[in-house]
Amino acid sequence: MRAMLGKGSIRRRLVVQLSLIAAVLSLAFFLIVRAVAGQAASDTQDNILAASATSIADAIYSERGRISLELPYSALSMLGSISQDRVFYRVIVDGETLTGYDDLPAPAHFPKPSEPVFSTLDFRGEEVRSVAVGRTVSSGGQAIRAAIVVAQTRSGLAAITSKISATSVAVGIGLFLFATLLSLLAAQSALLPLNRMTQSIKRRGPHDLRPVRTEIPGELLPLVAALNNFMARLRAALAQSEELVAEAAHRVRTPLAVVRTQAEVALRRLDKPEDRQALREMIRAVDESSRSAGQLLDHAMVTFRTDHLQETRFDLGEVTRETCAHLQPTAGLKDIALVLDIPERPLPFVGDPILLQSALRNILDNAIKYSPADSEITVTITVDRHYEISFRDQGRGFGDVNTGGLTKRFARGGNVADVVGSGLGLTIVDVVARAHKGRVKIRTNTEGPGACVSLVLPLH
Amino acid sequence: MRFACLATALTVWILSLGAATAFEIEGERHYPAPEGAVTLRIISTADINVFEPIILEFQRQNPGVGIDYVIASSTELMRAIYEEQEPFDLAISSAMDLQTKLANDGFALAYSSFATEALPDWAKWRNQIFAFTQEPAVLVISEADFAGMEPPKTREELISLLRENPDRFAGRIGTYDVRISGAGYLFATQDSRNSDSYWRLTEVMGRLHARLYGGSGDMIRDVASGRLALAYNVVGSYAMSRLPDYPGIRIILFEDYVNVMLRTVLVPVNAPHPSEAGLMVDSLATLDSRPALTERTSLPPVKASGLQENSAARPIRLGPGLLVFLDRLKKQSFLQNWTSSMEQFVR
């Protein structure tokens, strides 16, 4: 029983319990109907037996001091009208059998008038129901007691009872099956809101922490309220930490800019080559710091925007070109040529262009950073079963590191110790790609030096 | 060939006087089976010439079964089965009340087959008694005596006719002596139940010195010979079978009501060969489907539709009601009434 109920499925619990109730009720129905119908059939036989015996009693008369009887035809024929049972009778006057079957057992006591005495007994090898009726007849001034016994076998009664039993078994089984079917449907419908809620939560994106607003039955309200409360707290905590990071980055960036300007001003005034070298080192470090702060801000922005993704239709090629143009000066500083191989025709895509720009900028920025001076970065867009925007550089590549781990926050390659970096760039790219149901492909070039980072996006 | 052999097997009841049996038989005939050892012993109230075609047909289909056919009156049949418990395989009787009593008191075996299931409900009781013929009680008149007169259509008309023509009918009315005939008693008691006119009719017949008979055959013979002008409550099947031999008689079915007696068969509880007896019951129950055979026996078979054809027909109902007139006191008082009505002028 415990195994059947289980602890896993509410539906199975419900169905099993409701079916058990239905089985108990069907059994009760069967027993009650059989008992009532059996009693009714038995009462009917008793009533007819009593009527028969009474009509015989009424036909007893006294003539010239002798008790006699004119057995009424209906007394016995009425017993034959309901079943084909054997009939026996006996009339006893003053202890002597007046007529009928001598061996039919007489009642132990003289039955009171108007109070028939019923009994069930074996007679001539068969069970019979017998009734005894008493009557006082006056004969020659004397009151003489007469007892009338009428008995009938019970095979008709048994036939009726078994017929009723068979019918009530059939109806009971039918009731049980019907109730079980209904309980299945009831369990299904009772669990429907729960399923609906489960589905609506399942469908959510990884960062969707909005409260559940599905229509729910009262019983689930506390659960949903607790869930919503939990998610609200989680969201608040996340937002707080993101805000903290953004705020910190923002606050760091402005003084860094001031420091850089002052450092450049100082650079112009300094003449000693070793001082100038030291200041250049300082400016480079400040640049790196401000870049990291920018990436932290970028990351916060990306996280926020993917949570509230606003999709518009735009041209992927144009966005890529714009990004490349935007970073052209940075590349120029290192004499790096950006070679674009982008189809002229529009490449429509639905998503957040600002996020994509941010992702592309981060990839390209990385590529420039790790490329040697006077090299080439090739940007291609291929359209196959999906868009693939690739950035191929001639830098140092990723070495033998597991490239999958590079998209984790603050993870960096194994061969970059000499270059300052936050480890956030590829994380941002990855978040954006996932938000657009795409992915990031990172691999070291097999021919020649460098690496290739691609953003793979679905065609819409 | 078989007939020659059967003829020698016929014995009369006088020969059986010396036998150990206490009940009296009126005749006995053996129909030995060419092969097989089973012999069915049948005790019956039906005349041998009526029943023989059925036996021969049965033996044609069941060559392994020999038959020992014993004829007895219905009261002697009752005594053989009820009191002496003679091992008969079948009891065939027109006395429905006595057959009912045998079944009610536990002297009959239950039997059921496709053939008995096909019988109408009124033609069987407890699957122990099975009716195979339906025989109306009719009035048989001599056409010569009713020349120029309208024959009576109801019992009331018969009473008026007898009252108005006492000279013509005195001493020339025949009916059953209900004290000795089981069928007569059955018809008379059912008459008394059906109509008040019965006792008036009995009185009128008694006043006209009605002749009393033990069997239908004698009454029909006397009507045909001119000894009787009419016979009341004659078993219709006998009259029908004699019609070609006696051209001067006519059968009248009353329009007020016609008692229909059912000839029934039962298997006694101590039957030595109950399964072969069941075959005979089947054979009798399906009599209606064999017209060639019924023509030879002149027994009108039970028909499910047979009673709707005549709205006045009242089949006597099998069941405990029939036990009433077998009650000792009831029978005593009925016979007293009947005797005093019938023999009021006996000198």
Side-chain angles (χ1 to χ4, degrees):
Chain A
M1 182 57 62
R2 190 152 290 282
M4 273 172 81
L5 285 175
K7 30 183 176 175
S9 167
I10 297 179
R11 181 216 301 265
R12 199 185 312 148
R13 258 181 111 88
L14 265 177
V15 169
V16 168
Q17 287 178 355
L18 288 176
S19 301
L20 278 178
I21 292 169
V24 168
L25 288 180
S26 301
L27 187 68
F29 165 83
F30 162 69
L31 291 175
I32 290 169
V33 166
R34 200 181 58 168
V36 169
Q39 189 59 47
S42 173
D43 286 351
T44 307
Q45 187 183 32
D46 282 359
N47 288 341
I48 297 181
L49 277 172
S52 166
T54 308
S55 77
I56 295 176
D58 291 343
I60 296 176
Y61 62 95
S62 154
E63 193 182 51
R64 278 175 264 141
R66 275 181 57 228
I67 301 290
S68 195
L69 166 71
E70 181 79 33
L71 187 64
Y73 185 80
S74 60
L76 298 188
S77 71
M78 72 168 86
L79 292 168
S81 60
I82 47 161
S83 68
Q84 299 198 331
D85 272 299
R86 296 162 67 183
V87 170
F88 309 100
Y89 66 96
R90 183 184 178 189
V91 180
I92 305 158
V93 174
D94 230 6
E96 297 282 319
T97 301
L98 180 69
T99 186
Y101 292 76
D102 293 336
D103 48 345
L104 190 63
H109 307 287
F110 180 75
K112 283 184 205 149
S114 80
E115 259 182 54
V117 178
F118 294 98
S119 54
T120 306
L121 48 103
D122 273 337
F123 181 64
R124 296 201 179 190
E126 244 187 289
E127 190 186 69
V128 297
R129 182 75 173 163
S130 105
V131 62
V133 169
R135 186 58 63 100
T136 309
V137 194
S138 69
S139 171
Q142 272 183 310
I144 294 171
R145 294 204 297 194
I148 298 94
V149 186
V150 178
Q152 191 181 27
T153 55
R154 315 189 84 190
S155 53
L157 191 70
I160 293 172
T161 310
S162 78
K163 196 168 148 189
I164 292 170
S165 289
T167 310
S168 55
V169 161
V171 174
I173 289 174
L175 263 182
F176 171 70
L177 292 180
F178 186 59
T180 305
L181 181 72
L182 285 185
S183 70
L184 270 172
L185 295 177
Q188 187 84 18
S189 115
L191 291 179
L192 208 58
L194 197 60
N195 289 341
R196 219 160 34 208
M197 197 179 94
T198 310
Q199 287 304 321
S200 89
I201 292 177
K202 249 195 203 166
R203 269 200 304 271
R204 290 175 170 225
H207 302 292
D208 188 351
L209 293 176
R210 284 171 303 158
V212 175
R213 294 260 179 259
T214 332
E215 255 184 56
I216 37 169
E219 288 82 353
L220 287 177
L221 276 177
L223 174 68
V224 171
L227 188 66
N228 284 345
N229 189 291
F230 173 73
M231 287 202 293
R233 274 185 292 146
L234 190 60
R235 199 164 46 143
L238 277 179
Q240 209 173 14
S241 69
E242 298 281 347
E243 263 170 37
L244 189 68
V245 170
E247 184 70 23
H250 186 68
R251 292 213 177 179
V252 166
R253 227 155 51 145
T254 317
L256 277 180
V258 175
V259 169
R260 194 184 191 281
T261 316
Q262 293 297 325
E264 282 194 347
V265 171
L267 186 64
R268 270 183 230 126
R269 291 184 196 148
L270 285 178
D271 299 323
K272 271 190 195 164
E274 59 266 34
D275 292 345
R276 289 177 70 93
Q277 181 61 28
L279 260 184
R280 267 194 211 103
E281 289 289 322
M282 199 179 98
I283 289 168
R284 202 172 69 84
V286 168
D287 278 350
E288 283 302 327
S289 297
S290 102
R291 190 165 163 276
S292 292
Q295 277 189 322
L296 280 174
L297 266 174
D298 245 13
H299 185 260
M301 183 270 288
V302 164
T303 310
F304 176 79
R305 287 191 80 98
T306 47
D307 277 354
H308 310 88
L309 193 65
Q310 283 173 347
E311 296 191 312
T312 53
R313 200 179 175 84
F314 62 94
D315 183 4
L316 209 53
E318 202 186 311
V319 168
T320 311
R321 273 191 285 274
E322 272 174 16
T323 310
C324 289
H326 191 68
L327 284 177
Q328 185 68 51
T330 319
L333 282 179
K334 285 176 85 176
D335 287 332
I336 294 172
L338 296 180
V339 182
L340 271 62
D341 180 9
I342 297 169
E344 284 304 312
R345 63 191 165 88
L347 306 169
F349 185 74
V350 178
D352 188 336
I354 294 173
L355 283 179
L356 273 171
Q357 242 168 16
S358 167
L360 294 175
R361 194 171 59 236
N362 270 286
I363 301 175
L364 190 53
D365 193 48
N366 256 352
I368 293 169
K369 195 164 79 177
Y370 292 109
S371 281
D374 202 14
S375 66
E376 250 181 28
I377 294 175
T378 318
V379 180
T380 52
I381 299 184
T382 57
V383 186
D384 191 6
R385 272 168 305 174
H386 28 251
Y387 295 118
E388 185 164 340
I389 310 166
S390 307
F391 297 83
R392 189 180 310 244
D393 63 41
Q394 294 168 337
R396 64 186 78 179
F398 292 98
D400 298 330
V401 199
N402 172 18
T403 49
L406 289 175
T407 52
K408 287 198 184 128
R409 269 208 259 189
F410 310 118
R412 300 192 67 206
N415 52 356
V416 293
D418 56 328
V419 183
V420 183
S422 63
L424 273 174
L426 284 178
T427 309
I428 290 167
V429 178
D430 187 55
V431 168
V432 171
R434 280 175 197 276
H436 290 87
K437 299 186 175 67
R439 65 201 161 89
V440 185
K441 239 158 78 181
I442 302 168
R443 57 191 185 271
T444 308
N445 288 339
T446 46
E447 287 167 24
C452 179
V453 175
S454 308
L455 183 59
V456 182
L457 294 170
L459 287 173
H460 280 277
Chain B
M1 302 159 281
R2 177 176 267 181
F3 275 97
C5 146
L6 297 176
T8 56
L10 178 68
T11 53
V12 288
W13 68 273
I14 301 162
L15 291 178
S16 70
L17 275 181
T21 50
F23 63 95
E24 291 181 356
I25 66 171
E26 293 166 7
E28 186 170 6
R29 189 177 274 190
H30 292 292
Y31 298 83
E35 68 246 36
V38 176
T39 300
L40 278 184
R41 291 192 72 210
I42 301 177
I43 184 164
S44 167
T45 60
D47 286 350
I48 191 70
N49 55 346
V50 172
F51 209 77
E52 188 163 77
I54 294 175
I55 291 173
L56 296 179
E57 176 68 15
F58 177 77
Q59 282 195 318
R60 199 177 58 76
Q61 289 177 349
N62 304 279
V65 183
I67 286 179
D68 188 0
Y69 191 82
V70 175
I71 305 165
S73 75
S74 55
T75 41
E76 292 306 313
L77 182 151
M78 185 74 181
R79 183 186 292 171
I81 306 287
Y82 199 97
E83 284 162 27
E84 293 164 21
Q85 278 140 43
E86 271 287 307
F88 281 105
D89 293 301
L90 287 159
I92 296 170
S93 173
S94 52
M96 298 167 69
D97 45 358
L98 295 177
Q99 296 279 83
T100 303
K101 186 159 176 68
L102 282 176
N104 187 69
D105 291 6
F107 290 91
L109 282 180
Y111 174 74
S112 179
S113 68
F114 285 122
T116 62
E117 290 302 315
L119 281 174
D121 281 344
W122 50 262
K124 58 191 170 195
W125 193 60
R126 294 179 57 76
N127 279 335
Q128 292 180 334
I129 311 174
F130 306 99
F132 62 99
T133 69
Q134 50 187 55
E135 307 183 33
V138 299
L139 179 74
V140 176
I141 59 170
S142 148
E143 285 191 324
D145 284 294
F146 282 84
M149 253 192 334
E150 190 67 24
K153 289 199 229 27
T154 64
R155 284 166 182 77
E156 289 296 339
E157 284 182 24
L158 177 63
I159 291 168
S160 318
L161 189 75
L162 295 181
R163 279 189 179 148
E164 284 158 20
N165 304 286
D167 299 337
R168 190 192 293 226
F169 293 110
R172 303 192 61 225
I173 302 166
T175 191
Y176 271 116
D177 186 343
V178 303
R179 292 165 299 191
I180 58 170
S181 161
Y185 184 68
L186 184 63
F187 283 144
T189 51
Q190 293 299 317
D191 268 346
S192 75
R193 230 167 57 67
N194 280 334
S195 155
D196 295 336
S197 61
Y198 174 71
W199 288 114
R200 278 188 287 129
L201 180 60
T202 310
E203 297 243 340
V204 171
M205 288 197 289
R207 213 174 297 143
L208 297 174
H209 311 297
R211 289 171 181 276
L212 301 179
Y213 289 80
S216 286
D218 294 345
M219 281 191 266
I220 297 161
R221 192 196 58 222
D222 282 358
V223 173
S225 72
R227 230 179 130 189
L228 295 181
L230 62 89
Y232 178 74
N233 270 356
V234 176
V235 177
S237 60
Y238 284 111
M240 293 293 279
S241 68
R242 299 291 160 82
L243 217 46
D245 308 332
Y246 302 128
I249 65 171
R250 195 164 146 193
I251 296 166
I252 291 175
L253 286 164
F254 280 124
E255 287 170 11
D256 48 356
Y257 66 88
V258 176
N259 279 323
V260 178
M261 180 189 78
L262 306 173
R263 200 179 291 268
T264 57
V265 59
L266 63 81
V267 182
V269 77
N270 57 349
H273 312 294
S275 51
E276 285 80 5
L279 292 178
M280 179 58 106
V281 172
D282 288 350
S283 173
L284 291 172
T286 53
L287 212 53
D288 186 35
S289 61
R290 285 174 293 176
L293 179 60
T294 53
E295 202 170 318
R296 269 178 281 150
T297 65
S298 76
L299 289 175
V302 157
K303 283 188 178 128
S305 58
L307 294 166
Q308 285 145 18
E309 285 164 17
N310 184 347
S311 58
R314 290 190 195 170
I316 300 170
R317 245 183 65 197
L318 288 164
L322 285 175
L323 301 177
V324 170
F325 287 102
L326 295 181
D327 178 71
R328 191 178 59 83
L329 292 176
K330 185 83 170 179
K331 185 164 188 173
Q332 198 179 312
S333 94
F334 184 88
L335 290 180
Q336 245 168 29
N337 282 342
W338 186 85
T339 309
S340 62
S341 302
M342 198 54 91
E343 300 187 342
Q344 49 194 313
F345 295 111
V346 169
R347 277 141 282 188

